[in-house]
Amino acid sequence: MADYPSGLVHERTLFDGRKVLIRPIRADDDLLERDFLLSGVSGESRYMRFHKWVGAPSDKLIHFLTDVDYDRHMAFVCVHGEGDDAEVAGEARYVVNPDGASCEFGVVIADAWRKSGIAGLLMEALIRGARERGLRSMEGLVLRNNPPMLRFAHALGFEVHTVAEDPLTLRIVKMFCPRPSTRRAVRAPQLPPCRAPARSRPARRNTGRAP
């Protein structure tokens, strides 16, 4: 089992004064995660996240979502309260693609915590983690009838592309530019713009992996 990255645990104060904990998920979060998906997230919100109707989450899905290796599969949760009063208010995760250079991500927020600011905090942690791992890009699939997610992705710097095989779905991509060196360079080559490739990629259905 991978060591828990405790250095990534951070307390945050929201604009309304509530304090939350942004931290990597743990295997023993299984009950919190199940309650979050079943009670905190509406059926419509689960559909937007998984691109299919999901009822009670299966044990297999909960295991996949909570038993991560913090390397190829990374997940952050936003937790409010402590002990028996603790609840998951949202989560964001990525799964590294087979190419080893990009990842597929997903984020979902409890209905009662919409517009609280936690989505931005979760994505900030997730993007930072992907960059530090050395990934070149982050991507996901979003339904066309999910304009709030599309606006959110645009604000985070994602580019939107059509999916030729599925007119109901859009692909969002964020390229991670190499950070410039602080050393003095001599005749340093000019890097090409960090833009997503124009080609369309086949749509992937979300069955628990990050959409």
mmCIF file of all heavy atoms in Angstrom, residues 106-135:
data_model
loop_
_atom_site.group_PDB
_atom_site.id
_atom_site.type_symbol
_atom_site.label_atom_id
_atom_site.label_comp_id
_atom_site.label_asym_id
_atom_site.label_seq_id
_atom_site.Cartn_x
_atom_site.Cartn_y
_atom_site.Cartn_z
ATOM 1 N N GLY A 106 -11.972 14.050 -13.199
ATOM 2 C CA GLY A 106 -13.386 14.221 -12.897
ATOM 3 C C GLY A 106 -13.538 14.977 -11.590
ATOM 4 O O GLY A 106 -12.678 14.899 -10.711
ATOM 5 N N VAL A 107 -14.612 15.733 -11.478
ATOM 6 C CA VAL A 107 -14.888 16.483 -10.253
ATOM 7 C C VAL A 107 -16.388 16.487 -10.036
ATOM 8 O O VAL A 107 -17.161 16.582 -10.983
ATOM 9 C CB VAL A 107 -14.333 17.931 -10.342
ATOM 10 C CG1 VAL A 107 -14.894 18.676 -11.542
ATOM 11 C CG2 VAL A 107 -14.590 18.702 -9.052
ATOM 12 N N VAL A 108 -16.795 16.330 -8.793
ATOM 13 C CA VAL A 108 -18.214 16.368 -8.458
ATOM 14 C C VAL A 108 -18.365 17.013 -7.087
ATOM 15 O O VAL A 108 -17.576 16.777 -6.173
ATOM 16 C CB VAL A 108 -18.841 14.955 -8.490
ATOM 17 C CG1 VAL A 108 -18.186 14.025 -7.481
ATOM 18 C CG2 VAL A 108 -20.346 15.016 -8.260
ATOM 19 N N ILE A 109 -19.385 17.854 -6.956
ATOM 20 C CA ILE A 109 -19.633 18.615 -5.740
ATOM 21 C C ILE A 109 -21.025 18.266 -5.210
ATOM 22 O O ILE A 109 -21.976 18.133 -5.987
ATOM 23 C CB ILE A 109 -19.551 20.137 -6.003
ATOM 24 C CG1 ILE A 109 -18.208 20.487 -6.647
ATOM 25 C CG2 ILE A 109 -19.768 20.931 -4.712
ATOM 26 C CD1 ILE A 109 -16.990 20.146 -5.808
ATOM 27 N N ALA A 110 -21.153 18.121 -3.903
ATOM 28 C CA ALA A 110 -22.460 17.873 -3.303
ATOM 29 C C ALA A 110 -23.395 19.023 -3.645
ATOM 30 O O ALA A 110 -22.983 20.187 -3.687
ATOM 31 C CB ALA A 110 -22.325 17.721 -1.789
ATOM 32 N N ASP A 111 -24.651 18.694 -3.866
ATOM 33 C CA ASP A 111 -25.608 19.719 -4.288
ATOM 34 C C ASP A 111 -25.676 20.888 -3.307
ATOM 35 O O ASP A 111 -25.802 22.045 -3.705
ATOM 36 C CB ASP A 111 -26.986 19.091 -4.447
ATOM 37 C CG ASP A 111 -27.030 18.105 -5.614
ATOM 38 O OD1 ASP A 111 -25.961 17.795 -6.175
ATOM 39 O OD2 ASP A 111 -28.129 17.651 -5.962
ATOM 40 N N ALA A 112 -25.604 20.593 -2.012
ATOM 41 C CA ALA A 112 -25.704 21.642 -0.990
ATOM 42 C C ALA A 112 -24.465 22.531 -0.934
ATOM 43 O O ALA A 112 -24.503 23.593 -0.294
ATOM 44 C CB ALA A 112 -25.954 21.011 0.376
ATOM 45 N N TRP A 113 -23.381 22.114 -1.608
ATOM 46 C CA TRP A 113 -22.135 22.874 -1.563
ATOM 47 C C TRP A 113 -21.809 23.551 -2.892
ATOM 48 O O TRP A 113 -20.694 24.030 -3.093
ATOM 49 C CB TRP A 113 -20.979 21.958 -1.145
ATOM 50 C CG TRP A 113 -21.026 21.583 0.300
ATOM 51 C CD1 TRP A 113 -21.784 20.604 0.873
ATOM 52 C CD2 TRP A 113 -20.295 22.193 1.358
ATOM 53 N NE1 TRP A 113 -21.561 20.563 2.223
ATOM 54 C CE2 TRP A 113 -20.651 21.527 2.551
ATOM 55 C CE3 TRP A 113 -19.366 23.233 1.425
ATOM 56 C CZ2 TRP A 113 -20.113 21.873 3.784
ATOM 57 C CZ3 TRP A 113 -18.828 23.576 2.641
ATOM 58 C CH2 TRP A 113 -19.202 22.900 3.814
ATOM 59 N N ARG A 114 -22.784 23.617 -3.778
ATOM 60 C CA ARG A 114 -22.564 24.317 -5.038
ATOM 61 C C ARG A 114 -22.291 25.801 -4.780
ATOM 62 O O ARG A 114 -22.856 26.392 -3.867
ATOM 63 C CB ARG A 114 -23.799 24.184 -5.935
ATOM 64 C CG ARG A 114 -24.130 22.756 -6.346
ATOM 65 C CD ARG A 114 -23.273 22.324 -7.533
ATOM 66 N NE ARG A 114 -23.629 20.985 -7.976
ATOM 67 C CZ ARG A 114 -24.601 20.719 -8.832
ATOM 68 N NH1 ARG A 114 -25.335 21.717 -9.315
ATOM 69 N NH2 ARG A 114 -24.847 19.478 -9.205
ATOM 70 N N LYS A 115 -21.430 26.377 -5.583
ATOM 71 C CA LYS A 115 -21.086 27.798 -5.518
ATOM 72 C C LYS A 115 -20.496 28.213 -4.170
ATOM 73 O O LYS A 115 -20.579 29.367 -3.776
ATOM 74 C CB LYS A 115 -22.308 28.671 -5.836
ATOM 75 C CG LYS A 115 -22.871 28.435 -7.226
ATOM 76 C CD LYS A 115 -24.036 29.355 -7.527
ATOM 77 C CE LYS A 115 -24.578 29.131 -8.935
ATOM 78 N NZ LYS A 115 -25.717 30.028 -9.240
ATOM 79 N N SER A 116 -19.883 27.260 -3.485
ATOM 80 C CA SER A 116 -19.233 27.568 -2.209
ATOM 81 C C SER A 116 -17.755 27.873 -2.381
ATOM 82 O O SER A 116 -17.102 28.364 -1.448
ATOM 83 C CB SER A 116 -19.396 26.394 -1.237
ATOM 84 O OG SER A 116 -18.708 25.247 -1.719
ATOM 85 N N GLY A 117 -17.204 27.547 -3.559
ATOM 86 C CA GLY A 117 -15.786 27.765 -3.804
ATOM 87 C C GLY A 117 -14.942 26.514 -3.675
ATOM 88 O O GLY A 117 -13.756 26.530 -4.007
ATOM 89 N N ILE A 118 -15.536 25.404 -3.231
ATOM 90 C CA ILE A 118 -14.717 24.207 -3.005
ATOM 91 C C ILE A 118 -14.298 23.548 -4.321
ATOM 92 O O ILE A 118 -13.258 22.881 -4.360
ATOM 93 C CB ILE A 118 -15.425 23.188 -2.088
ATOM 94 C CG1 ILE A 118 -16.683 22.623 -2.768
ATOM 95 C CG2 ILE A 118 -15.759 23.806 -0.752
ATOM 96 C CD1 ILE A 118 -17.311 21.476 -1.980
ATOM 97 N N ALA A 119 -15.074 23.720 -5.386
ATOM 98 C CA ALA A 119 -14.670 23.134 -6.668
ATOM 99 C C ALA A 119 -13.334 23.714 -7.119
ATOM 100 O O ALA A 119 -12.451 22.989 -7.596
ATOM 101 C CB ALA A 119 -15.746 23.377 -7.720
ATOM 102 N N GLY A 120 -13.180 25.014 -6.971
ATOM 103 C CA GLY A 120 -11.923 25.650 -7.336
ATOM 104 C C GLY A 120 -10.768 25.182 -6.468
ATOM 105 O O GLY A 120 -9.653 24.968 -6.959
ATOM 106 N N LEU A 121 -11.012 24.993 -5.167
ATOM 107 C CA LEU A 121 -9.961 24.510 -4.263
ATOM 108 C C LEU A 121 -9.540 23.091 -4.620
ATOM 109 O O LEU A 121 -8.345 22.764 -4.606
ATOM 110 C CB LEU A 121 -10.452 24.563 -2.814
ATOM 111 C CG LEU A 121 -10.744 25.946 -2.243
ATOM 112 C CD1 LEU A 121 -11.321 25.826 -0.832
ATOM 113 C CD2 LEU A 121 -9.483 26.806 -2.224
ATOM 114 N N LEU A 122 -10.506 22.242 -4.942
ATOM 115 C CA LEU A 122 -10.195 20.866 -5.310
ATOM 116 C C LEU A 122 -9.413 20.806 -6.617
ATOM 117 O O LEU A 122 -8.430 20.073 -6.732
ATOM 118 C CB LEU A 122 -11.483 20.052 -5.422
ATOM 119 C CG LEU A 122 -12.151 19.673 -4.099
ATOM 120 C CD1 LEU A 122 -13.580 19.187 -4.338
ATOM 121 C CD2 LEU A 122 -11.343 18.603 -3.372
ATOM 122 N N MET A 123 -9.844 21.581 -7.595
ATOM 123 C CA MET A 123 -9.146 21.568 -8.877
ATOM 124 C C MET A 123 -7.755 22.184 -8.768
ATOM 125 O O MET A 123 -6.822 21.766 -9.461
ATOM 126 C CB MET A 123 -9.972 22.291 -9.933
ATOM 127 C CG MET A 123 -11.186 21.499 -10.409
ATOM 128 S SD MET A 123 -10.756 19.875 -11.079
ATOM 129 C CE MET A 123 -9.702 20.321 -12.471
ATOM 130 N N GLU A 124 -7.601 23.171 -7.906
ATOM 131 C CA GLU A 124 -6.274 23.750 -7.677
ATOM 132 C C GLU A 124 -5.320 22.678 -7.156
ATOM 133 O O GLU A 124 -4.179 22.560 -7.633
ATOM 134 C CB GLU A 124 -6.377 24.892 -6.671
ATOM 135 C CG GLU A 124 -5.032 25.526 -6.317
ATOM 136 C CD GLU A 124 -5.146 26.563 -5.210
ATOM 137 O OE1 GLU A 124 -6.084 26.467 -4.394
ATOM 138 O OE2 GLU A 124 -4.292 27.462 -5.155
ATOM 139 N N ALA A 125 -5.783 21.878 -6.195
ATOM 140 C CA ALA A 125 -4.951 20.810 -5.650
ATOM 141 C C ALA A 125 -4.672 19.738 -6.694
ATOM 142 O O ALA A 125 -3.556 19.218 -6.806
ATOM 143 C CB ALA A 125 -5.634 20.194 -4.428
ATOM 144 N N LEU A 126 -5.688 19.406 -7.487
ATOM 145 C CA LEU A 126 -5.537 18.346 -8.484
ATOM 146 C C LEU A 126 -4.573 18.765 -9.596
ATOM 147 O O LEU A 126 -3.696 17.986 -9.996
ATOM 148 C CB LEU A 126 -6.898 17.998 -9.067
ATOM 149 C CG LEU A 126 -6.973 16.684 -9.842
ATOM 150 C CD1 LEU A 126 -6.868 15.500 -8.894
ATOM 151 C CD2 LEU A 126 -8.270 16.595 -10.639
ATOM 152 N N ILE A 127 -4.729 19.971 -10.100
ATOM 153 C CA ILE A 127 -3.856 20.460 -11.164
ATOM 154 C C ILE A 127 -2.418 20.573 -10.672
ATOM 155 O O ILE A 127 -1.469 20.210 -11.381
ATOM 156 C CB ILE A 127 -4.374 21.799 -11.710
ATOM 157 C CG1 ILE A 127 -5.689 21.588 -12.473
ATOM 158 C CG2 ILE A 127 -3.343 22.472 -12.604
ATOM 159 C CD1 ILE A 127 -6.392 22.867 -12.877
ATOM 160 N N ARG A 128 -2.248 21.061 -9.455
ATOM 161 C CA ARG A 128 -0.893 21.147 -8.905
ATOM 162 C C ARG A 128 -0.263 19.759 -8.808
ATOM 163 O O ARG A 128 0.908 19.555 -9.154
ATOM 164 C CB ARG A 128 -0.917 21.802 -7.527
ATOM 165 C CG ARG A 128 0.481 21.994 -6.935
ATOM 166 C CD ARG A 128 0.453 22.469 -5.500
ATOM 167 N NE ARG A 128 -0.279 23.712 -5.368
ATOM 168 C CZ ARG A 128 -1.419 23.835 -4.683
ATOM 169 N NH1 ARG A 128 -1.944 22.777 -4.087
ATOM 170 N NH2 ARG A 128 -2.018 25.001 -4.601
ATOM 171 N N GLY A 129 -1.058 18.780 -8.356
ATOM 172 C CA GLY A 129 -0.532 17.424 -8.247
ATOM 173 C C GLY A 129 -0.144 16.841 -9.592
ATOM 174 O O GLY A 129 0.889 16.164 -9.720
ATOM 175 N N ALA A 130 -0.953 17.102 -10.614
ATOM 176 C CA ALA A 130 -0.650 16.589 -11.954
ATOM 177 C C ALA A 130 0.616 17.240 -12.506
ATOM 178 O O ALA A 130 1.454 16.579 -13.132
ATOM 179 C CB ALA A 130 -1.833 16.835 -12.884
ATOM 180 N N ARG A 131 0.748 18.535 -12.291
ATOM 181 C CA ARG A 131 1.956 19.233 -12.749
ATOM 182 C C ARG A 131 3.204 18.668 -12.065
ATOM 183 O O ARG A 131 4.216 18.394 -12.714
ATOM 184 C CB ARG A 131 1.854 20.723 -12.444
ATOM 185 C CG ARG A 131 0.940 21.523 -13.373
ATOM 186 C CD ARG A 131 0.971 22.984 -12.954
ATOM 187 N NE ARG A 131 0.137 23.833 -13.761
ATOM 188 C CZ ARG A 131 0.500 24.391 -14.912
ATOM 189 N NH1 ARG A 131 1.712 24.154 -15.382
ATOM 190 N NH2 ARG A 131 -0.333 25.161 -15.585
ATOM 191 N N GLU A 132 3.117 18.516 -10.745
ATOM 192 C CA GLU A 132 4.283 18.057 -9.994
ATOM 193 C C GLU A 132 4.642 16.615 -10.341
ATOM 194 O O GLU A 132 5.805 16.218 -10.211
ATOM 195 C CB GLU A 132 4.017 18.200 -8.498
ATOM 196 C CG GLU A 132 3.939 19.659 -8.048
ATOM 197 C CD GLU A 132 3.653 19.812 -6.567
ATOM 198 O OE1 GLU A 132 3.348 18.780 -5.907
ATOM 199 O OE2 GLU A 132 3.719 20.948 -6.069
ATOM 200 N N ARG A 133 3.673 15.847 -10.791
ATOM 201 C CA ARG A 133 3.966 14.486 -11.225
ATOM 202 C C ARG A 133 4.650 14.476 -12.585
ATOM 203 O O ARG A 133 5.210 13.470 -13.009
ATOM 204 C CB ARG A 133 2.687 13.650 -11.289
ATOM 205 C CG ARG A 133 2.934 12.151 -11.463
ATOM 206 C CD ARG A 133 1.664 11.399 -11.747
ATOM 207 N NE ARG A 133 1.907 9.981 -11.855
ATOM 208 C CZ ARG A 133 2.426 9.368 -12.922
ATOM 209 N NH1 ARG A 133 2.772 10.093 -13.989
ATOM 210 N NH2 ARG A 133 2.611 8.057 -12.943
ATOM 211 N N GLY A 134 4.622 15.587 -13.279
ATOM 212 C CA GLY A 134 5.271 15.686 -14.578
ATOM 213 C C GLY A 134 4.367 15.410 -15.751
ATOM 214 O O GLY A 134 4.855 15.228 -16.877
ATOM 215 N N LEU A 135 3.049 15.399 -15.525
ATOM 216 C CA LEU A 135 2.122 15.167 -16.628
ATOM 217 C C LEU A 135 2.089 16.377 -17.552
ATOM 218 O O LEU A 135 2.274 17.514 -17.112
ATOM 219 C CB LEU A 135 0.726 14.868 -16.087
ATOM 220 C CG LEU A 135 0.610 13.605 -15.226
ATOM 221 C CD1 LEU A 135 -0.803 13.451 -14.683
ATOM 222 C CD2 LEU A 135 1.012 12.369 -16.025
#
